[in-house]
Amino acid sequence: MILSQAMKMKKMILALCLSAGLYPGGIIGVYGQENPAMPDGPWSGKVDTGSLAMNLTFNFENSGDGLACTLDSPDQGIKGIEAIVEAYMEDSVRVQMPSISASYGGRITRDTNGMPERIEGVFSQAGMSLPLNLEPGTPVRYRPQTPAPPYPYVTEEVTFRNGDVELSGTLTWPEGYDGKNGTGITAVLMVSGSGQQNRDEEIFGHKPFAVIADWLARHGIASLRYDDRGVGKSSGNPETIDIMSNMEDALAGLGYLESLGKFQKTGVLGHSEGGTIAFMIGGLGKADFIISLAGAAVSGRQILVEQNDRFLELSGIPDTVTASYCSILDKLLEYRIACKDDRNSDVADSIIANAGAVIPAYMAENLKSVYDTENRWIDSFITLDPREYIEVTKCPVFAANGSLDCQVIAESNLGTLRELLGNRPEDFIREYGGLNHLFQHCKTGNPTEYPEITETFATEVLSDITGWLLSLPEE
């Protein structure tokens, strides 16, 4: 779990948060018309890993071929995962989700009229199992900052291309401007964090990019946010991405904004990995300004080690075990970088043994997977050092971190940024007290708090962003 959180930087991906596993015994049979029908519609429940609770929704629909189903993870903004109903009987149902190597099986409780009213079962994924009980309906989370129509500004569905990949997004014009005439306004391209995310960077019902776009529009600033490759309406294979391809997609979005000929300035606002990409684009001289929200200013290797150190600390792991784990992790990442094309699977065992440290078996397995798991994005991330881009950046920089960010540590990243940029009057660099990686007010910064926080994005940061943008001199 700790390794997966570190690798993803921000996003609690389905394979991590739903690491469950199962097949409940005794569920046999196939769908038959003789069984009372399952009503069409959503059935929802919450799977609890102990450190994180997440809603899941199964959407059932009766068709001529039997009972059809899809799975949604509404907390992550993921919808329509293919599901196959293997068995449906009067007292049980079993569903397979092959694309995420998961399954669900449960016993059906019916009311006095014979209609299903509850399913008590187990969700299975990655060889582990967790209880998951379903009831009719969809989960509702209170997210007061999420903008709702009617909007006092115009939005437009647009597409742009990076080679064979078509990326789909929302262009939001400033309040009072229809986008048809004139120039002179500022436009911001939004780049999401690691993991495949939709244009709103949706997680646990929060839509931070929608909130930011709304705030910008109400303060006279245009924005473009887009679905990542293979997500929503964007094409492309997520398995082929790395941090460079993500940067190239962002550059294509920036080029699209510039091609419209309606903006005096165009720049990048990125969060987490997107903030790192903002630094990269700034170093390439492709933006008029950059805004990095919890972006990494130090190497990806250092980010992963610092993440693990903080997560272990929050988990109550003894300091000596944490220090040993992180020391071994750093060495394994060093070897992974050096032996990218020819990794020996025995190296991890050797490094762990030679460290002379006693760590729990599950931690040792995590460390081995760091070295052995094939992942193109991880390889690109741990070899990246943003400092080579930051030190040549000429455009104005806005950079922010929360003091309780567990995924991109404020002290090391903002300290490095200040050292590299110097004391330039046009820059805005700030650590915000009491904010987490998502820029929410929080207690500890632990990602387990994300789902229960109603705030999506701190307004003091939003206010500083627009104030800084509007203060930039005209060209």
Side-chain angles (χ1 to χ4, degrees), residues 66-85:
L67 187 62
C69 184
T70 60
L71 173 67
D72 298 342
S73 178
D75 293 336
Q76 298 173 286
I78 298 173
K79 298 180 180 179
I81 297 171
E82 180 185 9
I84 301 169
V85 180

Side-chain angles (χ1 to χ4, degrees), residues 457-468:
F457 203 94
T459 55
E460 62 264 37
V461 184
L462 293 171
S463 180
D464 285 342
I465 289 171
T466 50
W468 179 77

Side-chain angles (χ1 to χ4, degrees), residues 135-396:
E135 294 184 354
T138 56
V140 177
R141 290 193 185 273
Y142 181 52
R143 301 292 183 249
Q145 285 181 284
T146 301
Y151 308 115
Y153 48 79
V154 174
T155 63
E156 180 182 354
E157 185 82 8
V158 299
T159 60
F160 58 93
R161 302 192 68 86
N162 177 17
D164 295 333
V165 177
E166 183 175 76
L167 298 153
S168 179
T170 300
L171 178 58
T172 302
W173 297 96
E175 184 174 355
Y177 181 70
D178 61 9
K180 295 179 180 178
N181 301 300
T183 58
I185 59 176
T186 295
V188 174
L189 175 78
M190 300 189 194
V191 185
S192 70
S194 58
Q196 299 312 104
Q197 303 180 43
N198 66 22
R199 67 190 66 187
D200 294 329
E201 205 189 33
E202 187 170 353
I203 179 172
F204 300 119
H206 292 292
K207 299 181 179 181
F209 277 11
V211 171
I212 295 172
D214 178 83
W215 184 278
L216 293 176
R218 294 172 187 270
H219 289 80
I221 300 165
S223 66
L224 171 61
R225 61 194 196 272
Y226 59 94
D227 298 327
D228 290 343
R229 290 190 186 195
V231 176
K233 297 181 180 180
S234 291
S235 67
N237 181 3
E239 298 299 321
T240 64
I241 68 165
D242 56 27
I243 198 163
M244 297 306 294
S245 66
N246 287 339
M247 182 189 70
E248 290 165 359
D249 288 346
L251 284 171
L254 200 59
Y256 169 77
L257 287 175
E258 293 168 349
S259 73
L260 297 178
K262 294 183 180 294
F263 307 113
Q264 183 180 37
K265 295 186 185 71
T266 54
V268 178
L269 180 153
H271 177 236
S272 197
E273 181 194 344
T276 306
I277 288 172
F279 287 142
M280 297 165 70
I281 291 175
L284 294 174
K286 300 295 186 179
D288 294 324
F289 59 85
I290 60 171
I291 300 170
S292 176
L293 302 173
V298 299
S299 70
R301 172 182 163 189
Q302 182 176 338
I303 288 290
L304 292 186
V305 173
E306 290 182 345
Q307 280 182 6
N308 277 269
D309 180 80
R310 187 60 57 88
F311 283 130
L312 289 170
E313 176 188 351
L314 288 172
S315 299
I317 301 298
D319 292 346
T320 54
V321 176
T322 296
S324 296
Y325 182 94
C326 291
S327 176
I328 297 170
L329 173 61
D330 189 48
K331 180 63 69 174
L332 285 171
L333 293 174
E334 179 185 6
Y335 272 77
R336 180 171 179 133
I337 293 169
C339 307
K340 178 180 177 181
D341 299 321
D342 187 24
R343 290 205 300 270
N344 185 330
S345 60
D346 295 330
V347 167
D349 288 324
S350 176
I351 291 176
I352 293 170
N354 290 337
V358 178
I359 59 174
Y362 76 92
M363 285 189 169
E365 289 303 315
N366 268 350
L367 288 166
K368 291 176 186 177
S369 67
V370 171
Y371 187 78
D372 292 334
T373 302
E374 295 293 334
N375 187 297
R376 178 173 174 172
W377 183 87
I378 285 294
D379 286 330
S380 72
F381 180 67
I382 62 176
T383 56
L384 176 72
D385 191 343
R387 286 174 285 201
E388 64 185 73
Y389 295 95
I390 295 169
E391 62 188 6
V392 296
T393 295
K394 304 300 183 185
C395 69

